[in-house]
Amino acid sequence: LGLLRRCMSDSFFTQVSWSIENELRQAHIKSMSQELSLVGYGLVFRPPTLVIDYVLVATGKQRRRKMPVRGIESEEDSIADICAGLRLRHKRYVTLLDEKKLTSLMTKLRAEVHKATGRNKTSVPAHANLDPNENMNLLDDETLQARKAAMEMDFERNRVTQDDPEFEYDVQKDFKAVEASGWDSDGSDEDW
């Protein structure tokens, strides 16, 4: 390719040679990833690291690649940006994982790193322990807002959206009464 570039001085031919070089580079990367077979993957929380175990198909040797994850501690970088950075720096190895799995791993890694540093966004503040029998009508405004914020965080932590892997559509459950309520057992509402 170097000889091809030196022989062509016209900008059109230079652009074509860069295009050919890029295609060759992509084909080389694709062939390199086909030489690897994924065995396993995991995370190291301190320091934040993605670990991929793979087998070199040509030799049959098993190898392990440890890739540091940069920017996971800050909230400025999104999970998609972190995944893109990993794909850019470690393309040969990260292409063994699909995008969904990589995103899931980075989300778990960020949650664990924030939990370890005390910046867990989903944790309930210690002063806002929720008591289901507490009469919130008697609380002052500041305490009431803290309880509402804690309930909101609890709701967000437990909410399952369509994007979550645990999501099930139209879940129906039957619940058995623990104790008799008495208000509907006299049979007086037969008119309904």
Side-chain angles (χ1 to χ4, degrees), residues 71-90:
I72 198 78
E73 295 92 1
S74 71
E75 290 293 327
E76 296 172 5
D77 294 334
S78 68
I79 296 294
D81 292 340
I82 293 169
C83 292
L86 275 172
R87 288 200 185 280
L88 183 68
R89 285 189 301 277
H90 307 282

Side-chain angles (χ1 to χ4, degrees), residues 94-187:
V94 178
T95 53
L96 296 171
L97 296 172
D98 63 338
E99 187 68 32
K100 206 176 223 183
K101 190 58 174 171
L102 183 62
T103 303
S104 172
L105 286 170
M106 292 304 106
T107 304
K108 287 178 186 176
L109 184 60
R110 177 172 273 174
E112 286 297 321
V113 166
H114 284 185
K115 187 171 154 185
T117 59
R119 294 186 328 193
N120 191 0
K121 290 173 30 176
T122 59
S123 65
V124 177
H127 68 279
N129 293 330
L130 299 175
D131 178 17
N133 298 324
E134 182 179 25
N135 186 355
M136 295 205 186
N137 291 325
L138 303 175
L139 298 176
D140 61 292
D141 289 341
E142 186 175 311
T143 309
L144 179 64
Q145 292 305 319
R147 299 289 197 276
K148 285 184 176 182
M151 287 188 290
E152 180 68 25
M153 281 192 263
D154 191 39
F155 172 77
E156 290 296 327
R157 182 177 54 236
N158 295 327
R159 182 170 68 165
V160 178
T161 62
Q162 291 180 347
D163 299 333
D164 292 332
E166 304 93 29
F167 178 77
E168 291 181 39
Y169 182 76
D170 195 26
V171 176
Q172 297 181 6
K173 293 182 181 180
D174 291 328
F175 295 98
K176 295 180 181 176
V178 177
E179 58 186 48
S181 63
W183 64 269
D184 62 346
S185 60
D186 63 355

Side-chain angles (χ1 to χ4, degrees), residues 1 16-29:
L1 289 176
V16 170
S17 70
W18 281 106
S19 173
I20 293 170
E21 184 178 340
N22 191 26
E23 287 178 24
L24 288 173
R25 186 179 296 124
Q26 293 298 325
H28 178 67
I29 290 172

